[in-house]
Amino acid sequence: MLLDRIATEIQQSGPLFFDRFMELALYDPDGGFFGSGDLRSHRGGDFLTSPEVSPLFGATLARFAAAERDRIGGLDAVVDCGAGSGSLLAGLVADLPGVTAVAVEVSPAARAAITTRLPEITVVKDLAAVGRLPRGVIVANELADNLPAAVAVRTADGWEEEAVAIVGDRLGPVRVAARPEVAAWAERFAPGLPAGSRVEVQLGAAQWLRSALQTIAAGAVVMIDYGDTADGLRHRRAQGTVRTYRAHHLGPDPLL
Ligand SMILES: C[S@@+](CC[C@H](N)C(=O)[O-])C[C@H]1O[C@@H](n2cnc3c(N)ncnc32)[C@H](O)[C@@H]1O
């Protein structure tokens, strides 16, 4: 059971940084939220995304991709990362005849849903499998904020991290010294916060963006996600912004 494997890793190595915990909770092939189980992004699943609600989402991005094709003199492929059920991709390919489309999706259930819906589309497990594209458009709707993030907590004189430990007979949060790269990220993107503030440090999203930019020589990477400016997020820092969903309801505690 995944919870046992998480507990074993904590017993062997000490508290897990939140991004490591999130990686296991999301991607474990035997119990992870995306790595196993049913399709999550649809009405019968755990959350709904905008492309599920309207085909105009994909059609709008198709217009953008067509403009990129005209701008750079062709398109080798349009790539949808974290393609979910394929709703966005369906709208994209319908309005981009002749353009090769690729879905990147970590979830086996989502990959199966895409293949059933769009049998002509190539579906791969990660962006590295796409290879280098001289001319490409990469889209990612609601991917970046799924990628593992560390949680930094502001102290009177610097930063700590919130890690996951075994507290009593269940998982619980503990404070540990912040890794230098986590403290540097928090200080850079969320400076001047009062002690106790929580900052999600999205090293995974930054790494993904670097990989996406390295995948194409010309074209564009389009990321669409929830977010705010540093100022806009200030009032949410006391609670932090980590959220979980099950059956379309907000979870009470990410560690559950
Ligand atoms: C919030 S859903 C968005 C789905 C789709 N883009 C949409 O708009 O309906 C996030 C999707 O990203 C996938 N995902 C999460 N992490 C991923 C990763 N590292 N690589 C590829 N796909 C990932 C999940 O399996 C899930 O299908």
Side-chain angles (χ1 to χ4, degrees), residues 6-235:
I6 290 174
T8 303
E9 190 166 323
I10 293 172
Q11 277 151 4
Q12 288 171 349
S13 325
L16 300 183
F17 290 118
F18 197 83
D19 47 345
R20 172 61 182 157
F21 167 74
M22 200 167 155
E23 185 183 350
L24 291 167
L26 290 184
Y27 301 132
D28 188 274
D30 183 17
F33 182 70
F34 290 132
S36 67
D38 297 333
L39 181 65
R40 308 297 184 178
S41 55
H42 72 126
R43 287 189 199 284
D46 293 293
F47 57 86
L48 213 52
T49 61
S50 305
E52 298 288 334
V53 178
S54 166
L56 291 177
F57 202 104
T60 305
L61 282 173
R63 273 197 198 181
F64 174 82
E68 278 299 278
R69 179 186 56 195
D70 296 346
R71 184 180 73 83
I72 61 178
L75 265 190
D76 301 303
V78 56
V79 182
D80 184 5
C81 285
S85 69
S87 300
L88 170 52
L89 208 46
L92 258 182
V93 296
D95 288 6
L96 285 175
V99 173
T100 300
V102 180
V104 179
E105 183 40 73
V106 77
S107 151
R111 285 200 299 275
I114 297 165
T115 301
T116 303
R117 183 175 194 165
L118 301 163
E120 72 281 13
I121 300 289
T122 303
V123 185
V124 297
K125 291 181 189 172
D126 64 49
L127 190 55
V130 172
R132 180 130 167 104
L133 297 172
R135 296 168 303 185
V137 168
I138 298 178
V139 303
N141 181 54
E142 292 194 38
L143 171 71
D145 72 358
N146 290 257
L147 300 175
V151 175
V153 182
R154 180 76 216 185
T155 63
D157 53 2
W159 293 94
E160 290 180 340
E161 277 187 67
E162 190 166 283
V164 181
I166 298 167
V167 178
D169 61 354
R170 50 185 295 187
L171 299 178
V174 291
R175 298 280 185 85
V176 299
R179 289 165 286 178
E181 66 273 27
V182 169
W185 197 102
E187 194 56 43
R188 178 173 174 201
F189 293 110
L193 294 176
S197 300
R198 298 160 62 85
V199 176
E200 292 75 26
V201 173
Q202 294 182 279
L203 299 175
Q207 180 55 45
W208 181 84
L209 180 56
R210 270 193 293 275
S211 305
L213 290 169
Q214 283 162 6
T215 299
I216 54 169
V221 176
V222 184
M223 299 169 77
I224 303 161
D225 232 303
Y226 295 93
D228 205 340
T229 61
D231 274 350
L233 284 168
R234 280 185 82 84
H235 72 283

